[in-house]
Amino acid sequence: LLSSGSERAAHWEGFRRRLDLLHELGVPTLILAPGRGGPPQAEDYGRAVESLAAAAEAAAPAGVRLALEFQKGSGLCASLDT
């Protein structure tokens, strides 16, 4: 959700390939994990919202829904409170 530069480009390429595969297999839902890291910075929340919106737009034509998984060690998305 928060990667940038060439790392972000590589993540998006892998995401698009995964969507194509899920579409071919008829898998309706992809679970996204926020990843682990240190405490989020204020700008990280905006970037995460933009990334999730872009991911949803990319997934819709493939007929794939996205689900965000809470992860205990994630500062960004550990629970509904974060």
Side-chain angles (χ1 to χ4, degrees), residues 18-55:
R18 196 168 297 120
L19 288 177
D20 290 341
L21 178 62
L22 295 174
H23 177 72
E24 288 178 32
L25 295 173
V27 177
T29 305
L30 173 62
I31 299 172
L32 302 176
R36 298 177 187 261
Q41 304 298 311
E43 63 272 9
D44 291 342
Y45 292 100
R47 184 182 295 179
V49 167
E50 289 173 9
S51 294
L52 288 171

